[in-house]
Amino acid sequence: MKFLQGFFGFAHGVMALLFIVLSVFLTVLAVQTGIAGIGLEAAESADQAIEAIGLLAIAVVSLQIAQTINEEEVVRDAHISAPTRVRRYLSRFMVVVVVALSIEGLVGIFKALHEEPELLPHAASVLVAAGILMAGWGLFVRFNKEAELLEPEAMEEAKSEDVKLEE
């Protein structure tokens, strides 16, 4: 069993590294896209800037996911079983997802307004989905808080794991 735990830690580390590499790749691509928009007509330059913003948003999400995987699975080596750990882990992940969806929705709306207005409802639906996710996440946190009260020792254990990150 120790071998499997070591393997999973290693696999999570590799995945975090891959997310970092992809984040750097997307950042470079965003910079190239932004630079390509310099000197173009205003509408084309705006389209390039909007595309660069979308790529940077995805790069940030990728980097945040790498950080979450590293901190939760590699550094803390936390096994998600207690309500406190579940809430903390999902909260970190949901922040990344909701922010990314919101940015992508806004980028989609700007693109739709300038290029294809008939796609505006599709872009707006991404923002609606982000809102629904945030509302569902809020409900989850509220209901999970009740479960945490039943296991106060799990909260103390989760707080003690934070020391690993500070070292």
Side-chain angles (χ1 to χ4, degrees):
M1 203 59 165
K2 287 280 187 188
F3 169 75
L4 280 177
Q5 286 180 337
F7 172 75
F8 284 127
F10 174 77
H12 281 110
V14 169
M15 285 183 201
L17 184 62
L18 289 173
F19 273 112
I20 292 169
V21 168
L22 289 173
S23 178
V24 170
F25 172 74
L26 287 169
T27 302
V28 169
L29 198 57
V31 169
Q32 289 174 343
T33 302
I35 290 173
I38 296 174
L40 299 176
E41 291 183 27
E44 290 178 27
S45 184
D47 288 341
Q48 291 292 94
I50 290 170
E51 185 68 27
I53 289 169
L55 288 169
L56 281 174
I58 296 168
V60 167
V61 168
S62 179
L63 198 57
Q64 287 294 325
I65 290 172
Q67 182 180 4
T68 299
I69 290 171
N70 184 54
E71 288 179 2
E72 296 294 333
E73 300 293 340
V74 178
V75 176
R76 281 193 182 117
D77 192 28
H79 305 290
I80 299 178
S81 58
T84 301
R85 287 192 180 120
V86 172
R87 180 187 51 79
R88 289 174 65 163
Y89 189 81
L90 284 179
S91 291
R92 290 189 67 172
F93 182 72
M94 289 303 290
V95 165
V96 172
V97 171
V98 169
V99 168
L101 276 177
S102 299
I103 292 171
E104 282 298 314
L106 290 173
V107 167
I109 285 176
F110 286 126
K111 278 183 140 180
L113 284 173
H114 293 354
E115 295 173 10
E116 300 176 66
E118 63 274 6
L119 294 179
L120 195 55
H122 300 294
S125 67
V126 173
L127 288 175
V128 170
I132 291 170
L133 271 175
M134 191 154 48
W137 173 33
L139 284 173
F140 170 77
V141 168
R142 177 164 169 74
F143 293 141
N144 191 267
K145 190 72 174 161
E146 299 297 322
E148 285 179 14
L149 294 175
L150 298 174
E151 296 182 8
E153 66 279 353
M155 176 64 95
E156 290 304 317
E157 186 178 338
K159 285 181 181 179
S160 71
E161 291 172 350
D162 291 339
V163 175
K164 288 182 182 179
L165 293 177
E166 294 171 4
E167 294 175 348

